[in-house]
Amino acid sequence: LMTASSAPKWTLLEDAVLCAVIHERGSNWKLASDALRVGLTCGQTEGHPREASKCKSRFEELLAQHCVPPASRLPGSLPPHPQAPLVT
């Protein structure tokens, strides 16, 4: 049984793949998990198999660290792209 403290750290490449999948396909955590697994199988990414729930947690962690504080987001929504035009 693996605990949170013993879980392998996410690599920068895994973070990039996760963010790219979510950016392109929305918050489909199973798809993100599958994309990371396929990358590992094909030798295209370094890292470890990640469950869908772990992908969601990691993405939310990345958002909190680098983008928008969670309290200011609507549930299930992503912040607008910084270069996206404002719609009025």
Side-chain angles (χ1 to χ4, degrees), residues 56-87:
K56 181 178 188 233
S57 296
R58 179 60 179 169
F59 188 76
E60 289 173 348
E61 182 181 319
L62 291 171
L63 280 180
Q65 289 176 6
H66 303 291
C67 296
V68 180
S72 65
R73 294 194 319 261
L74 295 175
S77 68
L78 296 176
H81 189 279
Q83 296 177 1
L86 294 176
V87 178

Short mmCIF file of all heavy atoms in Angstrom, two decimals, residues 56-87:
data_model
loop_
_atom_site.label_atom_id
_atom_site.label_comp_id
_atom_site.label_asym_id
_atom_site.label_seq_id
_atom_site.Cartn_x
_atom_site.Cartn_y
_atom_site.Cartn_z
N LYS A 56 -6.38 14.39 -11.22
CA LYS A 56 -7.22 15.52 -10.81
C LYS A 56 -6.58 16.28 -9.66
O LYS A 56 -6.48 17.51 -9.70
CB LYS A 56 -8.61 15.03 -10.40
CG LYS A 56 -9.53 16.16 -10.00
CD LYS A 56 -10.91 15.65 -9.64
CE LYS A 56 -11.83 16.84 -9.43
NZ LYS A 56 -12.53 16.83 -8.20
N SER A 57 -6.12 15.56 -8.65
CA SER A 57 -5.47 16.20 -7.50
C SER A 57 -4.24 16.98 -7.93
O SER A 57 -4.00 18.10 -7.47
CB SER A 57 -5.08 15.16 -6.46
OG SER A 57 -6.22 14.53 -5.95
N ARG A 58 -3.43 16.38 -8.80
CA ARG A 58 -2.20 17.06 -9.24
C ARG A 58 -2.53 18.30 -10.05
O ARG A 58 -1.89 19.35 -9.87
CB ARG A 58 -1.34 16.10 -10.07
CG ARG A 58 -0.06 16.73 -10.59
CD ARG A 58 0.82 17.22 -9.47
NE ARG A 58 2.05 17.80 -9.99
CZ ARG A 58 2.90 18.47 -9.27
NH1 ARG A 58 2.70 18.67 -7.98
NH2 ARG A 58 4.00 18.96 -9.82
N PHE A 59 -3.52 18.23 -10.92
CA PHE A 59 -3.88 19.39 -11.73
C PHE A 59 -4.39 20.52 -10.83
O PHE A 59 -4.02 21.68 -11.02
CB PHE A 59 -4.94 19.01 -12.78
CG PHE A 59 -5.21 20.12 -13.74
CD1 PHE A 59 -4.31 20.40 -14.76
CD2 PHE A 59 -6.36 20.88 -13.65
CE1 PHE A 59 -4.55 21.43 -15.66
CE2 PHE A 59 -6.61 21.91 -14.54
CZ PHE A 59 -5.70 22.19 -15.55
N GLU A 60 -5.21 20.19 -9.85
CA GLU A 60 -5.69 21.21 -8.92
C GLU A 60 -4.54 21.81 -8.12
O GLU A 60 -4.52 23.02 -7.85
CB GLU A 60 -6.75 20.61 -7.99
CG GLU A 60 -8.04 20.33 -8.72
CD GLU A 60 -9.07 19.57 -7.89
OE1 GLU A 60 -8.71 19.05 -6.80
OE2 GLU A 60 -10.22 19.50 -8.33
N GLU A 61 -3.56 20.98 -7.77
CA GLU A 61 -2.37 21.47 -7.07
C GLU A 61 -1.59 22.44 -7.96
O GLU A 61 -1.15 23.50 -7.50
CB GLU A 61 -1.50 20.28 -6.68
CG GLU A 61 -0.27 20.62 -5.91
CD GLU A 61 0.55 19.37 -5.59
OE1 GLU A 61 -0.03 18.33 -5.24
OE2 GLU A 61 1.79 19.45 -5.71
N LEU A 62 -1.43 22.10 -9.23
CA LEU A 62 -0.73 22.97 -10.16
C LEU A 62 -1.46 24.29 -10.34
O LEU A 62 -0.84 25.36 -10.39
CB LEU A 62 -0.54 22.28 -11.52
CG LEU A 62 0.44 21.10 -11.52
CD1 LEU A 62 0.37 20.37 -12.85
CD2 LEU A 62 1.85 21.57 -11.22
N LEU A 63 -2.79 24.23 -10.44
CA LEU A 63 -3.57 25.47 -10.56
C LEU A 63 -3.37 26.35 -9.34
O LEU A 63 -3.17 27.57 -9.46
CB LEU A 63 -5.07 25.16 -10.71
CG LEU A 63 -5.57 24.75 -12.07
CD1 LEU A 63 -7.07 24.49 -12.02
CD2 LEU A 63 -5.26 25.79 -13.12
N ALA A 64 -3.42 25.76 -8.17
CA ALA A 64 -3.28 26.52 -6.93
C ALA A 64 -1.88 27.15 -6.84
O ALA A 64 -1.75 28.27 -6.37
CB ALA A 64 -3.53 25.62 -5.73
N GLN A 65 -0.87 26.45 -7.31
CA GLN A 65 0.50 26.95 -7.23
C GLN A 65 0.80 28.02 -8.27
O GLN A 65 1.54 28.95 -8.00
CB GLN A 65 1.50 25.81 -7.44
CG GLN A 65 1.59 24.84 -6.32
CD GLN A 65 2.54 23.68 -6.65
OE1 GLN A 65 3.21 23.66 -7.68
NE2 GLN A 65 2.58 22.70 -5.77
N HIS A 66 0.22 27.88 -9.46
CA HIS A 66 0.67 28.70 -10.58
C HIS A 66 -0.38 29.59 -11.22
O HIS A 66 -0.02 30.45 -12.03
CB HIS A 66 1.27 27.81 -11.67
CG HIS A 66 2.40 26.96 -11.19
ND1 HIS A 66 3.62 27.48 -10.81
CD2 HIS A 66 2.49 25.63 -10.95
CE1 HIS A 66 4.41 26.51 -10.40
NE2 HIS A 66 3.75 25.37 -10.48
N CYS A 67 -1.64 29.39 -10.91
CA CYS A 67 -2.67 30.13 -11.65
C CYS A 67 -3.58 30.93 -10.74
O CYS A 67 -3.28 32.04 -10.38
CB CYS A 67 -3.50 29.17 -12.52
SG CYS A 67 -2.52 28.37 -13.79
N VAL A 68 -4.69 30.34 -10.39
CA VAL A 68 -5.75 31.05 -9.69
C VAL A 68 -6.04 30.36 -8.37
O VAL A 68 -6.16 29.15 -8.33
CB VAL A 68 -7.03 31.05 -10.56
CG1 VAL A 68 -8.16 31.77 -9.87
CG2 VAL A 68 -6.73 31.67 -11.92
N PRO A 69 -6.16 31.11 -7.27
CA PRO A 69 -6.53 30.47 -6.01
C PRO A 69 -7.86 29.72 -6.14
O PRO A 69 -8.78 30.22 -6.77
CB PRO A 69 -6.66 31.64 -5.03
CG PRO A 69 -5.92 32.76 -5.67
CD PRO A 69 -5.99 32.54 -7.16
N PRO A 70 -7.98 28.52 -5.57
CA PRO A 70 -9.19 27.70 -5.72
C PRO A 70 -10.47 28.42 -5.31
O PRO A 70 -11.50 28.21 -5.92
CB PRO A 70 -8.93 26.50 -4.82
CG PRO A 70 -7.46 26.43 -4.68
CD PRO A 70 -6.96 27.85 -4.79
N ALA A 71 -10.44 29.28 -4.31
CA ALA A 71 -11.66 29.94 -3.84
C ALA A 71 -12.26 30.86 -4.89
O ALA A 71 -13.46 31.14 -4.88
CB ALA A 71 -11.37 30.73 -2.57
N SER A 72 -11.47 31.32 -5.85
CA SER A 72 -11.98 32.25 -6.85
C SER A 72 -12.45 31.55 -8.12
O SER A 72 -12.89 32.20 -9.06
CB SER A 72 -10.91 33.29 -7.21
OG SER A 72 -9.81 32.67 -7.83
N ARG A 73 -12.35 30.21 -8.17
CA ARG A 73 -12.81 29.45 -9.34
C ARG A 73 -14.18 28.87 -9.07
O ARG A 73 -14.52 28.53 -7.95
CB ARG A 73 -11.86 28.28 -9.63
CG ARG A 73 -10.50 28.68 -10.08
CD ARG A 73 -9.74 27.50 -10.68
NE ARG A 73 -9.88 26.26 -9.97
CZ ARG A 73 -9.02 25.78 -9.11
NH1 ARG A 73 -7.94 26.44 -8.80
NH2 ARG A 73 -9.23 24.62 -8.52
N LEU A 74 -14.96 28.75 -10.10
CA LEU A 74 -16.23 28.05 -10.00
C LEU A 74 -15.93 26.55 -10.03
O LEU A 74 -15.01 26.12 -10.71
CB LEU A 74 -17.15 28.42 -11.16
CG LEU A 74 -17.61 29.87 -11.20
CD1 LEU A 74 -18.40 30.12 -12.48
CD2 LEU A 74 -18.45 30.18 -9.99
N PRO A 75 -16.73 25.73 -9.34
CA PRO A 75 -16.49 24.28 -9.37
C PRO A 75 -16.52 23.74 -10.80
O PRO A 75 -17.42 24.07 -11.57
CB PRO A 75 -17.65 23.71 -8.55
CG PRO A 75 -18.12 24.85 -7.70
CD PRO A 75 -17.84 26.10 -8.50
N GLY A 76 -15.50 22.98 -11.14
CA GLY A 76 -15.45 22.35 -12.46
C GLY A 76 -15.01 23.25 -13.59
O GLY A 76 -14.98 22.85 -14.74
N SER A 77 -14.66 24.50 -13.30
CA SER A 77 -14.26 25.41 -14.37
C SER A 77 -12.76 25.62 -14.35
O SER A 77 -12.10 25.45 -13.35
CB SER A 77 -14.97 26.75 -14.24
OG SER A 77 -14.50 27.43 -13.09
N LEU A 78 -12.22 25.99 -15.49
CA LEU A 78 -10.82 26.32 -15.61
C LEU A 78 -10.70 27.82 -15.79
O LEU A 78 -11.58 28.46 -16.37
CB LEU A 78 -10.20 25.61 -16.81
CG LEU A 78 -10.17 24.09 -16.75
CD1 LEU A 78 -9.62 23.53 -18.06
CD2 LEU A 78 -9.31 23.63 -15.60
N PRO A 79 -9.61 28.41 -15.31
CA PRO A 79 -9.46 29.86 -15.51
C PRO A 79 -9.26 30.17 -16.99
O PRO A 79 -8.78 29.33 -17.74
CB PRO A 79 -8.20 30.18 -14.70
CG PRO A 79 -7.46 28.89 -14.61
CD PRO A 79 -8.50 27.80 -14.63
N PRO A 80 -9.65 31.37 -17.42
CA PRO A 80 -9.44 31.73 -18.82
C PRO A 80 -7.96 31.81 -19.14
O PRO A 80 -7.14 32.09 -18.26
CB PRO A 80 -10.11 33.10 -18.95
CG PRO A 80 -10.16 33.63 -17.56
CD PRO A 80 -10.23 32.44 -16.65
N HIS A 81 -7.63 31.54 -20.38
CA HIS A 81 -6.25 31.66 -20.82
C HIS A 81 -5.86 33.14 -20.72
O HIS A 81 -6.64 34.01 -21.07
CB HIS A 81 -6.12 31.17 -22.27
CG HIS A 81 -4.71 31.07 -22.72
ND1 HIS A 81 -4.01 32.16 -23.15
CD2 HIS A 81 -3.86 30.02 -22.77
CE1 HIS A 81 -2.77 31.78 -23.48
NE2 HIS A 81 -2.67 30.48 -23.25
N PRO A 82 -4.64 33.45 -20.25
CA PRO A 82 -4.28 34.85 -20.04
C PRO A 82 -4.30 35.69 -21.32
O PRO A 82 -4.47 36.90 -21.24
CB PRO A 82 -2.84 34.78 -19.49
CG PRO A 82 -2.48 33.36 -19.40
CD PRO A 82 -3.63 32.52 -19.84
N GLN A 83 -4.16 35.08 -22.48
CA GLN A 83 -4.20 35.83 -23.72
C GLN A 83 -5.56 35.79 -24.41
O GLN A 83 -5.72 36.35 -25.48
CB GLN A 83 -3.12 35.32 -24.68
CG GLN A 83 -1.72 35.52 -24.13
CD GLN A 83 -0.67 34.95 -25.05
OE1 GLN A 83 -0.96 34.40 -26.09
NE2 GLN A 83 0.58 35.05 -24.65
N ALA A 84 -6.53 35.14 -23.79
CA ALA A 84 -7.86 35.04 -24.39
C ALA A 84 -8.53 36.41 -24.33
O ALA A 84 -8.43 37.12 -23.33
CB ALA A 84 -8.71 34.01 -23.66
N PRO A 85 -9.22 36.80 -25.40
CA PRO A 85 -9.91 38.09 -25.38
C PRO A 85 -11.07 38.05 -24.37
O PRO A 85 -11.70 37.03 -24.16
CB PRO A 85 -10.44 38.24 -26.81
CG PRO A 85 -10.46 36.86 -27.35
CD PRO A 85 -9.41 36.08 -26.63
N LEU A 86 -11.28 39.16 -23.73
CA LEU A 86 -12.40 39.28 -22.80
C LEU A 86 -13.70 39.43 -23.56
O LEU A 86 -13.77 40.18 -24.53
CB LEU A 86 -12.22 40.48 -21.87
CG LEU A 86 -11.04 40.39 -20.89
CD1 LEU A 86 -10.93 41.69 -20.12
CD2 LEU A 86 -11.25 39.23 -19.94
N VAL A 87 -14.72 38.70 -23.16
CA VAL A 87 -16.02 38.79 -23.80
C VAL A 87 -16.89 39.67 -22.91
O VAL A 87 -17.04 39.43 -21.73
CB VAL A 87 -16.64 37.39 -23.94
CG1 VAL A 87 -18.04 37.49 -24.55
CG2 VAL A 87 -15.75 36.49 -24.75
#
